[in-house]
Amino acid sequence: MRSIPDDRTTRAVIRDEALRLFAARGPDSVTVRQIAEAAGVSAGLVVHHFGSKDGLRQEVDGYVLAVFEAMLGELTGESGAQLLDPGTGARSLSEAFARHLPAGSPLPGYLRRLLLSDTDVGRQLFQRLFDLSRAALDGLAAAGLAAPGREPAIRAAFLLANDLAVFLLRDRLAEVLGADPLSAEGVARWAPEMLSIYTGGLNASPQGDAFEKG
């Protein structure tokens, strides 16, 4: 059925189309026939490669986990603190993810569903992200750039939750703010407010005020 040349294997094409549909509609709302139609193959071929929709979903989950693991490994290098080092050019995990994912990627949508799902893969990925957040906080504290707080685990979880919210709610935030919070313009607006709240609470003035007024 597929007539357009594609350098991916048929299995990869089916997986990628399933990922796109799962991200947009949720796995429970997508049928094998819809996946097959999107991939340009027969439903029987989908079953041949993956056994069932559950088998295909496990393949998609494993693929998404591998992509984010590889991305985290590339971003962090030897230390989780490196990711949040201003010298690396990324001030947040969400900003780093946005830079590394192509426009229109279904991965953010699927990540949202995965992290909220009661699955081993969702728990494993969140644990990995939490470990990274904890390592980053420990590294910044050791460098004198942050305080670990009375309960470092809670502080790391708080920072991670706030950061992931920007990534996962990106589209909704863009609608209400009039700019993508992870674009260059959005980061220029978002970062001063975020940093001022982190450093001085809600009574603090944005750190970029003096620059903007000048």
Side-chain angles (χ1 to χ4, degrees):
M1 296 176 65
R2 176 168 289 276
S3 59
I4 300 175
D6 195 316
D7 59 2
R8 294 172 296 170
T9 65
T10 299
R11 185 182 181 93
V13 170
I14 296 171
R15 179 205 63 207
D16 291 349
E17 289 302 323
L19 167 60
R20 183 179 62 80
L21 291 172
F22 288 169
R25 307 177 192 174
D28 293 339
S29 300
V30 178
T31 67
V32 169
R33 187 174 298 279
Q34 290 169 336
I35 296 168
E37 182 178 350
V41 301
S42 68
L45 190 58
V46 175
V47 174
H48 170 74
H49 278 289
F50 300 98
S52 65
K53 192 178 83 169
D54 285 342
L56 176 53
R57 181 174 180 177
Q58 290 175 16
E59 180 91 2
V60 170
D61 284 354
Y63 170 72
V64 171
L65 180 62
V67 168
F68 278 98
E69 282 284 1
M71 195 183 308
L72 289 171
E74 179 183 346
L75 291 171
T76 59
E78 295 298 322
S79 169
Q82 179 182 332
L83 176 61
L84 299 182
D85 183 341
T88 68
R91 285 162 286 192
S92 69
L93 182 65
S94 57
E95 185 181 348
F97 278 171
R99 289 184 180 187
H100 281 69
L101 291 175
S105 170
L107 284 170
Y110 196 77
L111 177 65
R112 181 188 303 118
R113 294 184 183 279
L114 195 58
L115 289 176
L116 294 176
S117 67
D118 185 22
T119 63
D120 289 339
V121 174
R123 284 187 286 271
Q124 183 179 345
L125 181 55
F126 187 80
Q127 181 67 53
R128 177 74 169 88
L129 294 171
F130 172 75
D131 291 343
L132 173 63
S133 182
R134 181 66 187 270
L137 179 60
D138 290 346
L140 292 172
L145 299 174
R150 287 181 296 180
E151 295 198 52
I154 291 179
R155 183 165 295 207
F158 170 81
L159 294 172
L160 175 60
N162 278 272
D163 196 16
L164 280 177
V166 179
F167 187 66
L168 300 179
L169 296 175
R170 182 179 186 177
D171 294 341
R172 301 291 81 78
L173 289 170
E175 290 170 3
V176 297
L177 297 177
D180 178 354
L182 296 179
S183 66
E185 175 192 356
V187 169
R189 293 174 56 192
W190 185 277
E193 295 289 349
M194 176 188 72
L195 292 174
S196 67
I197 293 173
Y198 279 164
T199 56
L202 290 175
N203 289 325
S205 297
Q207 293 186 7
D209 274 3
F211 175 79
E212 291 169 2
K213 292 177 181 177

